[in-house]
Amino acid sequence: MHFLSEDLENYACEHTDNEPPLLQELSRRSHLTVLQPRMISGHLQGRFLSLLSKLIQPKTILEIGTYTGYATLCLAEGLAVDGVLHTIDIKEELTDLQREFFDRSGYGAQIVQHLGKATDIIPTLSTTFDLVFIDADKQNYAHYFDLVIEKMNSGGIILSDNVLWSGKVVQEVKPSDKHTQALMAYNQKLKEDPRIETVLLPIRDGITISRVK
């Protein structure tokens, strides 16, 4: 579902900083070799993630859901010189592709890949975070939030992707549609949590910015 017309989306991209060549190549590789390539953040959202990360200048980033690493590299653009980005995914078949592009980007030494379930890995990370990007299985969003909120630095930012879920969150939901139900409950959870300030933006498939007080 397009929340803007295709013409307006194209206009927005045309008046946004250009997509870096390495990310253009990663996008092409993803579309040629990986199932569901639409899952990558893409040009407009990628530049949004990059700019937001640069504004925050995080020393520590956690990404839940690496996929082919497109958003990872966008977020890494704002890392402090001595910063570290931890990224978690369950797809072992994608780790080599991720690492190839991480190392080619110049941020490779700052990016730590974790393979496995995020619910198992997050509790083992003995650090706190300035920026977290949640972009994995939708039914676990609330669980991921509960795991990371206590690891956030004051003023830290939690980003949640795909929160509009192709517009299904404002349509009649089938009892069998557990993903949409989970996202609707998650969106309400963020709205009501007194520990954060939250804005939901209709960028791409919806992205929520939550600032930890």
Side-chain angles (χ1 to χ4, degrees), residues 123-144:
T124 71
L125 300 177
S126 56
T127 187
T128 56
F129 296 99
D130 299 313
L131 178 59
V132 170
F133 184 42
I134 301 175
D135 186 19
D137 55 308
K138 311 312 167 190
Q139 289 180 257
N140 266 319
Y141 266 33
H143 194 179
Y144 297 146

Side-chain angles (χ1 to χ4, degrees), residues 142 145-146 184-193 196:
F145 176 87
D146 290 338
M184 292 173 69
Y186 178 70
N187 291 339
Q188 191 64 32
K189 175 184 177 73
L190 295 186
K191 174 67 164 58
E192 296 175 352
D193 195 310
I196 56 175

Side-chain angles (χ1 to χ4, degrees), residues 19 27 37-49 63 65-72 74-75 133 135 161-162 203-205 207:
E19 186 179 29
S27 179
R38 66 183 295 271
M39 289 173 58
I40 66 171
S41 291
H43 178 192
L44 183 61
Q45 182 174 312
R47 290 304 85 207
F48 173 77
L49 295 175
E63 180 186 39
T66 317
Y67 199 52
T68 58
Y70 189 103
T72 320
C74 294
L75 294 168
F133 184 42
D135 186 19
D161 200 15
N162 303 115
I203 297 175
R204 192 168 168 262
D205 196 25
I207 187 166

Side-chain angles (χ1 to χ4, degrees), residues 68-192:
T68 58
Y70 189 103
T72 320
L73 292 177
C74 294
L75 294 168
E77 292 177 29
L79 265 176
V81 175
D82 57 346
V84 177
L85 190 160
H86 295 268
T87 186
I88 304 171
D89 206 280
I90 61 171
K91 296 182 177 65
E92 184 175 4
E93 66 272 18
L94 296 179
T95 55
D96 289 343
L97 175 63
Q98 295 163 7
R99 178 48 57 185
E100 175 193 340
F101 279 84
F102 293 165
D103 289 344
R104 290 174 59 190
S105 73
Y107 301 111
Q110 295 175 274
I111 299 175
V112 181
Q113 292 167 284
H114 299 272
L115 181 63
K117 293 182 178 180
T119 50
D120 295 333
I121 293 169
I122 294 170
T124 71
L125 300 177
S126 56
T127 187
T128 56
F129 296 99
D130 299 313
L131 178 59
V132 170
F133 184 42
I134 301 175
D135 186 19
D137 55 308
K138 311 312 167 190
Q139 289 180 257
N140 266 319
Y141 266 33
H143 194 179
Y144 297 146
F145 176 87
D146 290 338
L147 288 173
V148 301
I149 187 65
E150 299 300 332
K151 292 178 175 286
M152 296 299 300
N153 294 321
S154 179
I157 298 294
I158 300 173
L159 302 172
S160 307
D161 200 15
N162 303 115
V163 291
L164 293 180
W165 205 228
S166 298
K168 293 179 182 179
V169 292
V170 294
Q171 299 171 0
E172 184 176 350
V173 182
K174 297 178 181 178
S176 60
D177 189 350
K178 303 302 181 184
H179 294 300
T180 302
Q181 292 176 35
L183 280 171
M184 292 173 69
Y186 178 70
N187 291 339
Q188 191 64 32
K189 175 184 177 73
L190 295 186
K191 174 67 164 58
E192 296 175 352

Side-chain angles (χ1 to χ4, degrees), residues 56-72:
I56 298 168
Q57 297 184 309
K59 288 189 176 181
T60 49
I61 299 176
L62 172 63
E63 180 186 39
I64 305 171
T66 317
Y67 199 52
T68 58
Y70 189 103
T72 320

